[in-house]
Amino acid sequence: MSAIRDNQDLRPSTSIFNLLKNDFWGTPIQKEQSHKSYRPLCVLTYRINYYFHKLQPYGYHLTNIVMHGIVSTLYMRICGMFVSRMTAFVAGLLFATHPVHTEAVTGVVGRAEILSSLFFLLAFLCYTNAATAAPNTDWTSMLWCVLFVGMATFSKEQGITVVGVCCAFEIFIVHRLRLPEFPNVMMKSKYASGLKKLGYE
């Protein structure tokens, strides 16, 4: 597996700062041959695994399994925000055991998905804490959310999509806006903004 066996960024003899300059496979990001997959945080976890386990696979697989367990627990907690505790437990159990996750958990390179999911869910949880805090926004939770968004993105690129999920939560859960009402609200917002610029408000 070239991401582990051939990636010199995992070796203690190479500078840890190479993780910031190279892609997921250890190729300099500016090179034409680069895969352009920028996942330094994921590669850092491989580097830690390599320090303790070298090329022995059990340590890498054990790390993936533990991370998947944490992700499943976080997923269950998020489900508990919207459904009953028993339903959330069943949902978490199904999530943990669903065959669709087999490749991500059993394949060492699948850690990018697991790690990104971990920080994705943490970011969303922090945002929900910040957005639902009374009477004012919990800015500490919001700062943690921003940090976890960055960590999710640096684990795998699609981690940035948690921002869209947070926006949807803000609009449809916090402000209880129904989908058919959304275009009208946007139009009114643009109209009010235009009036303000013209000096009518």
Side-chain angles (χ1 to χ4, degrees), residues 100-153:
V100 75
H101 299 134
T102 301
E103 184 177 355
V105 178
T106 60
V108 175
V109 293
R111 183 177 302 177
E113 283 84 0
I114 303 173
L115 196 61
S116 183
S117 298
L118 173 63
F119 294 123
F120 184 110
L121 296 176
L122 285 172
F124 181 66
L125 276 173
C126 287
Y127 186 84
T128 60
N129 289 338
T132 57
N136 299 313
T137 301
D138 181 353
W139 289 106
T140 301
S141 294
M142 190 66 77
L143 288 173
W144 277 108
C145 174
V146 172
L147 175 64
F148 287 135
V149 168
M151 295 174 78
T153 306

Tab-separated table of all heavy atoms in Angstrom, residues 100-153:
chain	number	residue	atom	x	y	z
A	100	VAL	N	-21.746	-0.653	4.356
A	100	VAL	CA	-21.216	0.419	3.508
A	100	VAL	C	-19.926	1.007	4.081
A	100	VAL	O	-19.121	1.597	3.352
A	100	VAL	CB	-22.281	1.526	3.308
A	100	VAL	CG1	-22.421	2.388	4.563
A	100	VAL	CG2	-21.947	2.398	2.097
A	101	HIS	N	-19.713	0.826	5.389
A	101	HIS	CA	-18.518	1.369	6.029
A	101	HIS	C	-17.342	0.392	6.035
A	101	HIS	O	-16.271	0.731	6.546
A	101	HIS	CB	-18.838	1.765	7.480
A	101	HIS	CG	-19.888	2.819	7.595
A	101	HIS	ND1	-20.938	2.728	8.482
A	101	HIS	CD2	-20.066	3.971	6.923
A	101	HIS	CE1	-21.710	3.784	8.353
A	101	HIS	NE2	-21.208	4.551	7.407
A	102	THR	N	-17.546	-0.776	5.484
A	102	THR	CA	-16.511	-1.815	5.551
A	102	THR	C	-15.190	-1.352	4.963
A	102	THR	O	-14.125	-1.500	5.581
A	102	THR	CB	-16.987	-3.082	4.816
A	102	THR	OG1	-18.192	-3.551	5.422
A	102	THR	CG2	-15.923	-4.168	4.890
A	103	GLU	N	-15.240	-0.779	3.777
A	103	GLU	CA	-14.001	-0.373	3.106
A	103	GLU	C	-13.267	0.709	3.888
A	103	GLU	O	-12.041	0.673	4.021
A	103	GLU	CB	-14.312	0.120	1.691
A	103	GLU	CG	-13.073	0.475	0.887
A	103	GLU	CD	-13.394	0.901	-0.533
A	103	GLU	OE1	-14.573	0.837	-0.924
A	103	GLU	OE2	-12.465	1.304	-1.246
A	104	ALA	N	-14.024	1.670	4.411
A	104	ALA	CA	-13.396	2.770	5.150
A	104	ALA	C	-12.738	2.288	6.437
A	104	ALA	O	-11.690	2.804	6.836
A	104	ALA	CB	-14.432	3.846	5.464
A	105	VAL	N	-13.346	1.288	7.086
A	105	VAL	CA	-12.829	0.823	8.375
A	105	VAL	C	-11.717	-0.207	8.190
A	105	VAL	O	-10.680	-0.143	8.857
A	105	VAL	CB	-13.965	0.238	9.243
A	105	VAL	CG1	-13.415	-0.292	10.563
A	105	VAL	CG2	-15.027	1.295	9.505
A	106	THR	N	-11.917	-1.148	7.283
A	106	THR	CA	-10.932	-2.226	7.126
A	106	THR	C	-9.745	-1.816	6.265
A	106	THR	O	-8.652	-2.360	6.424
A	106	THR	CB	-11.589	-3.473	6.512
A	106	THR	OG1	-12.129	-3.145	5.222
A	106	THR	CG2	-12.700	-3.988	7.407
A	107	GLY	N	-9.947	-0.877	5.363
A	107	GLY	CA	-8.844	-0.395	4.540
A	107	GLY	C	-8.107	0.725	5.250
A	107	GLY	O	-8.726	1.685	5.715
A	108	VAL	N	-6.798	0.608	5.334
A	108	VAL	CA	-6.024	1.606	6.084
A	108	VAL	C	-6.187	2.995	5.479
A	108	VAL	O	-6.314	3.984	6.200
A	108	VAL	CB	-4.537	1.196	6.135
A	108	VAL	CG1	-3.703	2.289	6.795
A	108	VAL	CG2	-4.376	-0.108	6.897
A	109	VAL	N	-6.208	3.081	4.147
A	109	VAL	CA	-6.351	4.393	3.515
A	109	VAL	C	-7.750	4.967	3.718
A	109	VAL	O	-7.981	6.151	3.474
A	109	VAL	CB	-6.031	4.333	2.006
A	109	VAL	CG1	-4.572	4.021	1.780
A	109	VAL	CG2	-6.918	3.332	1.294
A	110	GLY	N	-8.682	4.132	4.177
A	110	GLY	CA	-10.021	4.627	4.475
A	110	GLY	C	-10.065	5.515	5.700
A	110	GLY	O	-11.104	6.108	6.004
A	111	ARG	N	-8.946	5.625	6.391
A	111	ARG	CA	-8.918	6.472	7.589
A	111	ARG	C	-9.259	7.923	7.277
A	111	ARG	O	-9.786	8.637	8.134
A	111	ARG	CB	-7.553	6.405	8.265
A	111	ARG	CG	-7.502	7.210	9.567
A	111	ARG	CD	-6.184	7.078	10.265
A	111	ARG	NE	-5.888	5.687	10.568
A	111	ARG	CZ	-4.753	5.287	11.127
A	111	ARG	NH1	-3.819	6.163	11.433
A	111	ARG	NH2	-4.542	4.007	11.373
A	112	ALA	N	-8.962	8.360	6.074
A	112	ALA	CA	-9.290	9.742	5.711
A	112	ALA	C	-10.781	10.000	5.887
A	112	ALA	O	-11.185	11.048	6.414
A	112	ALA	CB	-8.862	10.022	4.269
A	113	GLU	N	-11.614	9.043	5.462
A	113	GLU	CA	-13.062	9.188	5.623
A	113	GLU	C	-13.465	9.171	7.100
A	113	GLU	O	-14.289	9.975	7.546
A	113	GLU	CB	-13.801	8.067	4.886
A	113	GLU	CG	-13.893	8.242	3.388
A	113	GLU	CD	-12.656	7.733	2.664
A	113	GLU	OE1	-11.718	7.238	3.345
A	113	GLU	OE2	-12.613	7.838	1.432
A	114	ILE	N	-12.870	8.248	7.851
A	114	ILE	CA	-13.233	8.128	9.268
A	114	ILE	C	-12.826	9.376	10.044
A	114	ILE	O	-13.610	9.931	10.823
A	114	ILE	CB	-12.570	6.885	9.895
A	114	ILE	CG1	-12.958	5.620	9.137
A	114	ILE	CG2	-12.958	6.751	11.362
A	114	ILE	CD1	-12.211	4.382	9.595
A	115	LEU	N	-11.599	9.823	9.823
A	115	LEU	CA	-11.090	10.980	10.559
A	115	LEU	C	-11.860	12.242	10.189
A	115	LEU	O	-12.201	13.056	11.060
A	115	LEU	CB	-9.601	11.158	10.265
A	115	LEU	CG	-8.803	12.055	11.210
A	115	LEU	CD1	-8.832	11.506	12.633
A	115	LEU	CD2	-7.364	12.186	10.730
A	116	SER	N	-12.151	12.386	8.907
A	116	SER	CA	-12.933	13.540	8.476
A	116	SER	C	-14.333	13.500	9.082
A	116	SER	O	-14.862	14.527	9.523
A	116	SER	CB	-13.020	13.573	6.947
A	116	SER	OG	-13.720	14.713	6.504
A	117	SER	N	-14.923	12.316	9.131
A	117	SER	CA	-16.256	12.169	9.738
A	117	SER	C	-16.225	12.506	11.223
A	117	SER	O	-17.155	13.127	11.753
A	117	SER	CB	-16.760	10.734	9.553
A	117	SER	OG	-16.897	10.416	8.190
A	118	LEU	N	-15.161	12.102	11.887
A	118	LEU	CA	-15.017	12.382	13.318
A	118	LEU	C	-15.057	13.884	13.587
A	118	LEU	O	-15.841	14.366	14.421
A	118	LEU	CB	-13.706	11.780	13.821
A	118	LEU	CG	-13.296	12.097	15.261
A	118	LEU	CD1	-14.305	11.533	16.250
A	118	LEU	CD2	-11.910	11.536	15.557
A	119	PHE	N	-14.248	14.633	12.865
A	119	PHE	CA	-14.197	16.078	13.085
A	119	PHE	C	-15.426	16.782	12.512
A	119	PHE	O	-15.844	17.825	13.025
A	119	PHE	CB	-12.909	16.649	12.494
A	119	PHE	CG	-11.674	16.177	13.201
A	119	PHE	CD1	-10.660	15.528	12.507
A	119	PHE	CD2	-11.527	16.360	14.565
A	119	PHE	CE1	-9.521	15.081	13.164
A	119	PHE	CE2	-10.397	15.917	15.238
A	119	PHE	CZ	-9.390	15.273	14.532
A	120	PHE	N	-16.003	16.211	11.467
A	120	PHE	CA	-17.259	16.722	10.900
A	120	PHE	C	-18.343	16.719	11.978
A	120	PHE	O	-19.022	17.735	12.213
A	120	PHE	CB	-17.656	15.837	9.718
A	120	PHE	CG	-18.879	16.264	8.964
A	120	PHE	CD1	-18.766	16.762	7.678
A	120	PHE	CD2	-20.153	16.147	9.508
A	120	PHE	CE1	-19.885	17.150	6.955
A	120	PHE	CE2	-21.281	16.523	8.803
A	120	PHE	CZ	-21.148	17.026	7.523
A	121	LEU	N	-18.510	15.584	12.634
A	121	LEU	CA	-19.552	15.459	13.652
A	121	LEU	C	-19.251	16.321	14.876
A	121	LEU	O	-20.162	16.908	15.471
A	121	LEU	CB	-19.707	13.992	14.052
A	121	LEU	CG	-20.194	13.051	12.943
A	121	LEU	CD1	-20.219	11.608	13.433
A	121	LEU	CD2	-21.572	13.459	12.442
A	122	LEU	N	-17.982	16.404	15.252
A	122	LEU	CA	-17.614	17.269	16.379
A	122	LEU	C	-17.906	18.735	16.061
A	122	LEU	O	-18.397	19.482	16.917
A	122	LEU	CB	-16.134	17.087	16.717
A	122	LEU	CG	-15.756	15.805	17.463
A	122	LEU	CD1	-14.240	15.673	17.561
A	122	LEU	CD2	-16.381	15.775	18.858
A	123	ALA	N	-17.602	19.135	14.826
A	123	ALA	CA	-17.888	20.516	14.416
A	123	ALA	C	-19.385	20.796	14.481
A	123	ALA	O	-19.816	21.845	14.978
A	123	ALA	CB	-17.364	20.762	13.001
A	124	PHE	N	-20.173	19.852	13.998
A	124	PHE	CA	-21.623	20.045	14.007
A	124	PHE	C	-22.168	20.097	15.435
A	124	PHE	O	-23.023	20.929	15.755
A	124	PHE	CB	-22.308	18.934	13.220
A	124	PHE	CG	-23.802	19.068	13.170
A	124	PHE	CD1	-24.395	20.130	12.505
A	124	PHE	CD2	-24.622	18.146	13.804
A	124	PHE	CE1	-25.774	20.271	12.467
A	124	PHE	CE2	-25.996	18.272	13.771
A	124	PHE	CZ	-26.577	19.337	13.099
A	125	LEU	N	-21.657	19.227	16.297
A	125	LEU	CA	-22.097	19.245	17.694
A	125	LEU	C	-21.763	20.575	18.366
A	125	LEU	O	-22.583	21.141	19.103
A	125	LEU	CB	-21.448	18.096	18.461
A	125	LEU	CG	-22.134	16.733	18.370
A	125	LEU	CD1	-21.274	15.667	19.031
A	125	LEU	CD2	-23.513	16.773	19.018
A	126	CYS	N	-20.562	21.066	18.110
A	126	CYS	CA	-20.172	22.352	18.692
A	126	CYS	C	-21.052	23.479	18.159
A	126	CYS	O	-21.430	24.388	18.905
A	126	CYS	CB	-18.699	22.648	18.385
A	126	CYS	SG	-17.545	21.634	19.332
A	127	TYR	N	-21.391	23.396	16.875
A	127	TYR	CA	-22.243	24.442	16.312
A	127	TYR	C	-23.638	24.403	16.936
A	127	TYR	O	-24.212	25.457	17.240
A	127	TYR	CB	-22.355	24.305	14.793
A	127	TYR	CG	-23.112	25.459	14.186
A	127	TYR	CD1	-22.455	26.649	13.893
A	127	TYR	CD2	-24.487	25.389	13.967
A	127	TYR	CE1	-23.146	27.733	13.385
A	127	TYR	CE2	-25.185	26.463	13.460
A	127	TYR	CZ	-24.510	27.634	13.168
A	127	TYR	OH	-25.201	28.708	12.677
A	128	THR	N	-24.174	23.210	17.114
A	128	THR	CA	-25.503	23.118	17.724
A	128	THR	C	-25.486	23.657	19.150
A	128	THR	O	-26.439	24.312	19.582
A	128	THR	CB	-26.011	21.663	17.723
A	128	THR	OG1	-25.105	20.829	18.460
A	128	THR	CG2	-26.150	21.140	16.306
A	129	ASN	N	-24.402	23.406	19.875
A	129	ASN	CA	-24.280	23.959	21.232
A	129	ASN	C	-24.226	25.482	21.195
A	129	ASN	O	-24.842	26.162	22.021
A	129	ASN	CB	-23.026	23.415	21.915
A	129	ASN	CG	-23.143	21.951	22.278
A	129	ASN	OD1	-24.243	21.420	22.403
A	129	ASN	ND2	-22.013	21.284	22.439
A	130	ALA	N	-23.469	26.000	20.222
A	130	ALA	CA	-23.325	27.452	20.116
A	130	ALA	C	-24.633	28.112	19.697
A	130	ALA	O	-25.024	29.150	20.236
A	130	ALA	CB	-22.219	27.790	19.115
A	131	ALA	N	-25.310	27.507	18.733
A	131	ALA	CA	-26.508	28.124	18.160
A	131	ALA	C	-27.720	28.048	19.078
A	131	ALA	O	-28.614	28.896	19.000
A	131	ALA	CB	-26.835	27.470	16.818
A	132	THR	N	-27.759	27.038	19.931
A	132	THR	CA	-28.931	26.860	20.793
A	132	THR	C	-28.700	27.358	22.214
A	132	THR	O	-29.575	27.223	23.062
A	132	THR	CB	-29.336	25.376	20.839
A	132	THR	OG1	-28.224	24.587	21.296
A	132	THR	CG2	-29.762	24.890	19.457
A	133	ALA	N	-27.512	27.911	22.466
A	133	ALA	CA	-27.233	28.437	23.806
A	133	ALA	C	-28.120	29.640	24.089
A	133	ALA	O	-28.377	30.461	23.212
A	133	ALA	CB	-25.761	28.828	23.922
A	134	ALA	N	-28.602	29.730	25.305
A	134	ALA	CA	-29.472	30.845	25.693
A	134	ALA	C	-28.822	31.610	26.844
A	134	ALA	O	-28.190	31.018	27.717
A	134	ALA	CB	-30.843	30.318	26.103
A	135	PRO	N	-28.975	32.938	26.869
A	135	PRO	CA	-29.697	33.751	25.875
A	135	PRO	C	-28.820	34.190	24.705
A	135	PRO	O	-29.316	34.728	23.729
A	135	PRO	CB	-30.133	34.966	26.694
A	135	PRO	CG	-29.019	35.131	27.695
A	135	PRO	CD	-28.539	33.742	28.022
A	136	ASN	N	-27.506	33.975	24.792
A	136	ASN	CA	-26.600	34.444	23.748
A	136	ASN	C	-25.821	33.279	23.147
A	136	ASN	O	-25.727	32.198	23.733
A	136	ASN	CB	-25.611	35.475	24.314
A	136	ASN	CG	-26.310	36.701	24.867
A	136	ASN	OD1	-27.192	37.263	24.226
A	136	ASN	ND2	-25.929	37.105	26.073
A	137	THR	N	-25.242	33.537	21.992
A	137	THR	CA	-24.427	32.527	21.322
A	137	THR	C	-23.232	32.140	22.188
A	137	THR	O	-22.577	32.993	22.783
A	137	THR	CB	-23.920	33.062	19.969
A	137	THR	OG1	-25.038	33.402	19.151
A	137	THR	CG2	-23.072	32.025	19.252
A	138	ASP	N	-22.960	30.849	22.248
A	138	ASP	CA	-21.791	30.344	22.971
A	138	ASP	C	-20.586	30.430	22.034
A	138	ASP	O	-20.365	29.555	21.198
A	138	ASP	CB	-22.045	28.897	23.405
A	138	ASP	CG	-20.883	28.315	24.196
A	138	ASP	OD1	-19.832	28.984	24.300
A	138	ASP	OD2	-21.016	27.186	24.703
A	139	TRP	N	-19.804	31.490	22.181
A	139	TRP	CA	-18.703	31.723	21.246
A	139	TRP	C	-17.539	30.762	21.448
A	139	TRP	O	-16.769	30.511	20.520
A	139	TRP	CB	-18.234	33.174	21.346
A	139	TRP	CG	-19.246	34.114	20.770
A	139	TRP	CD1	-20.075	34.951	21.456
A	139	TRP	CD2	-19.571	34.281	19.385
A	139	TRP	NE1	-20.897	35.631	20.591
A	139	TRP	CE2	-20.608	35.248	19.317
A	139	TRP	CE3	-19.096	33.711	18.206
A	139	TRP	CZ2	-21.168	35.647	18.107
A	139	TRP	CZ3	-19.646	34.108	16.997
A	139	TRP	CH2	-20.671	35.065	16.952
A	140	THR	N	-17.420	30.205	22.630
A	140	THR	CA	-16.383	29.193	22.842
A	140	THR	C	-16.670	27.962	21.991
A	140	THR	O	-15.781	27.427	21.317
A	140	THR	CB	-16.303	28.799	24.326
A	140	THR	OG1	-16.005	29.955	25.110
A	140	THR	CG2	-15.227	27.746	24.545
A	141	SER	N	-17.925	27.526	22.016
A	141	SER	CA	-18.317	26.387	21.176
A	141	SER	C	-18.162	26.720	19.698
A	141	SER	O	-17.784	25.862	18.891
A	141	SER	CB	-19.766	25.989	21.467
A	141	SER	OG	-19.898	25.479	22.775
A	142	MET	N	-18.439	27.975	19.341
A	142	MET	CA	-18.305	28.380	17.941
A	142	MET	C	-16.845	28.324	17.490
A	142	MET	O	-16.543	27.895	16.369
A	142	MET	CB	-18.859	29.792	17.753
A	142	MET	CG	-18.982	30.220	16.298
A	142	MET	SD	-20.212	29.253	15.392
A	142	MET	CE	-21.734	30.008	15.995
A	143	LEU	N	-15.942	28.733	18.357
A	143	LEU	CA	-14.516	28.663	18.023
A	143	LEU	C	-14.055	27.215	17.875
A	143	LEU	O	-13.267	26.892	16.977
A	143	LEU	CB	-13.691	29.381	19.097
A	143	LEU	CG	-13.787	30.910	19.102
A	143	LEU	CD1	-13.057	31.484	20.315
A	143	LEU	CD2	-13.211	31.492	17.814
A	144	TRP	N	-14.556	26.349	18.752
A	144	TRP	CA	-14.248	24.928	18.614
A	144	TRP	C	-14.795	24.390	17.297
A	144	TRP	O	-14.160	23.566	16.635
A	144	TRP	CB	-14.824	24.140	19.789
A	144	TRP	CG	-13.957	24.144	21.002
A	144	TRP	CD1	-14.178	24.802	22.176
A	144	TRP	CD2	-12.707	23.459	21.163
A	144	TRP	NE1	-13.150	24.577	23.062
A	144	TRP	CE2	-12.232	23.752	22.470
A	144	TRP	CE3	-11.947	22.632	20.344
A	144	TRP	CZ2	-11.031	23.238	22.955
A	144	TRP	CZ3	-10.745	22.120	20.822
A	144	TRP	CH2	-10.303	22.422	22.118
A	145	CYS	N	-15.961	24.858	16.923
A	145	CYS	CA	-16.563	24.447	15.653
A	145	CYS	C	-15.652	24.811	14.485
A	145	CYS	O	-15.391	23.983	13.600
A	145	CYS	CB	-17.936	25.099	15.482
A	145	CYS	SG	-18.698	24.808	13.864
A	146	VAL	N	-15.157	26.038	14.484
A	146	VAL	CA	-14.261	26.486	13.408
A	146	VAL	C	-13.003	25.620	13.360
A	146	VAL	O	-12.535	25.220	12.284
A	146	VAL	CB	-13.892	27.971	13.600
A	146	VAL	CG1	-12.814	28.397	12.611
A	146	VAL	CG2	-15.132	28.848	13.446
A	147	LEU	N	-12.461	25.307	14.535
A	147	LEU	CA	-11.269	24.463	14.604
A	147	LEU	C	-11.543	23.078	14.022
A	147	LEU	O	-10.756	22.557	13.216
A	147	LEU	CB	-10.807	24.340	16.056
A	147	LEU	CG	-9.626	23.395	16.307
A	147	LEU	CD1	-8.369	23.891	15.602
A	147	LEU	CD2	-9.367	23.231	17.804
A	148	PHE	N	-12.675	22.496	14.397
A	148	PHE	CA	-13.000	21.150	13.917
A	148	PHE	C	-13.322	21.140	12.419
A	148	PHE	O	-13.064	20.141	11.740
A	148	PHE	CB	-14.163	20.568	14.722
A	148	PHE	CG	-13.786	20.159	16.121
A	148	PHE	CD1	-14.596	20.493	17.206
A	148	PHE	CD2	-12.623	19.445	16.363
A	148	PHE	CE1	-14.244	20.118	18.494
A	148	PHE	CE2	-12.260	19.064	17.651
A	148	PHE	CZ	-13.075	19.405	18.716
A	149	VAL	N	-13.878	22.234	11.913
A	149	VAL	CA	-14.105	22.332	10.465
A	149	VAL	C	-12.770	22.246	9.727
A	149	VAL	O	-12.624	21.527	8.735
A	149	VAL	CB	-14.839	23.637	10.096
A	149	VAL	CG1	-14.816	23.865	8.585
A	149	VAL	CG2	-16.282	23.598	10.580
A	150	GLY	N	-11.786	22.990	10.229
A	150	GLY	CA	-10.461	22.944	9.622
A	150	GLY	C	-9.847	21.558	9.702
A	150	GLY	O	-9.259	21.061	8.730
A	151	MET	N	-10.009	20.904	10.839
A	151	MET	CA	-9.439	19.568	11.020
A	151	MET	C	-10.142	18.544	10.128
A	151	MET	O	-9.499	17.638	9.586
A	151	MET	CB	-9.526	19.164	12.494
A	151	MET	CG	-8.674	20.035	13.401
A	151	MET	SD	-8.884	19.697	15.159
A	151	MET	CE	-7.899	18.208	15.337
A	152	ALA	N	-11.445	18.689	9.972
A	152	ALA	CA	-12.180	17.790	9.072
A	152	ALA	C	-11.712	17.960	7.637
A	152	ALA	O	-11.526	16.979	6.903
A	152	ALA	CB	-13.683	18.063	9.173
A	153	THR	N	-11.492	19.209	7.238
A	153	THR	CA	-11.061	19.496	5.871
A	153	THR	C	-9.648	19.000	5.617
A	153	THR	O	-9.342	18.494	4.532
A	153	THR	CB	-11.144	21.007	5.597
A	153	THR	OG1	-12.471	21.466	5.900
A	153	THR	CG2	-10.825	21.322	4.148
